[in-house]
Amino acid sequence: MAAYYLWFKGIHIAFMVTWFAGLFYLPRLFIYHAQASDTISRERFQTMEKRLFGIMTIGAVLTWVFGLAMAAINPAIAETPWFLAKFALVIGLCVFHYRCWVWIKRLAASNEVEADRWLRWFNEIPVAFLFAIILLAVIKPF
């Protein structure tokens, strides 16, 4: 299995990019959705949000699958402090992913224009996760 480690790592990174692409764009769709004033636009955004959420969920699941496969090949990595910190951040990212699903349901139920300002901040959260996770994985500071 060790021969597959680098393959799994490359695939893990590719699906992580897919996941993050959705995490970056979906909250932007929420902002547009909250600002939409007509039914046709709101319905279009609902469709776009659900489809994007499906794609990014596939990316998230496969990121986890290949990440866990790498951890199974090299179990010692799971004991390193940088990996544990990265793992905690990935759990936090899953919470953010779930909150995106909550926003999809919330915006479908009503057009929350007052949420626009909060959604602009919500849109920036994945950037912090991305920087922290990548820096931990590359630098391995502790």
Side-chain angles (χ1 to χ4, degrees):
M1 284 298 284
Y4 295 109
Y5 187 84
L6 291 178
W7 283 98
F8 289 170
K9 190 177 202 177
I11 295 168
H12 172 75
I13 292 168
F15 283 114
M16 182 270 307
V17 170
T18 302
W19 187 14
F20 267 98
L23 291 172
F24 286 145
Y25 189 56
L26 187 60
R28 175 55 50 186
L29 287 177
F30 295 158
I31 294 166
Y32 298 148
H33 186 161
Q35 293 174 340
S37 57
D38 60 290
T39 304
I40 293 172
S41 294
R42 287 194 299 269
E43 289 173 357
R44 183 181 314 117
F45 285 121
Q46 287 175 12
T47 301
M48 292 171 68
E49 291 160 1
K50 287 178 184 177
R51 287 181 181 169
L52 182 57
F53 188 82
I55 293 167
M56 69 187 231
T57 299
I58 292 168
V61 168
L62 292 173
T63 298
W64 271 94
V65 166
F66 287 99
L68 292 173
M70 289 187 304
I73 292 170
N74 183 11
I77 200 170
E79 298 172 10
T80 60
W82 72 266
F83 179 83
L84 295 173
K86 178 186 169 205
F87 190 76
L89 287 169
V90 173
I91 295 294
L93 198 60
C94 288
V95 171
F96 181 84
H97 187 105
Y98 170 75
R99 292 294 300 155
C100 286
W101 178 249
V102 171
W103 271 106
I104 288 171
K105 295 296 185 183
R106 190 172 171 179
L107 288 168
S110 69
N111 190 31
E112 296 194 32
V113 178
E114 69 277 358
D116 177 85
R117 187 174 190 93
W118 161 246
L119 286 170
R120 291 183 184 283
W121 283 103
F122 187 74
N123 185 53
E124 302 304 325
I125 293 171
V127 174
F129 277 103
L130 180 67
F131 278 113
I133 289 169
I134 288 176
L135 290 175
L136 284 169
V138 172
I139 298 171
K140 299 174 179 64
F142 41 84

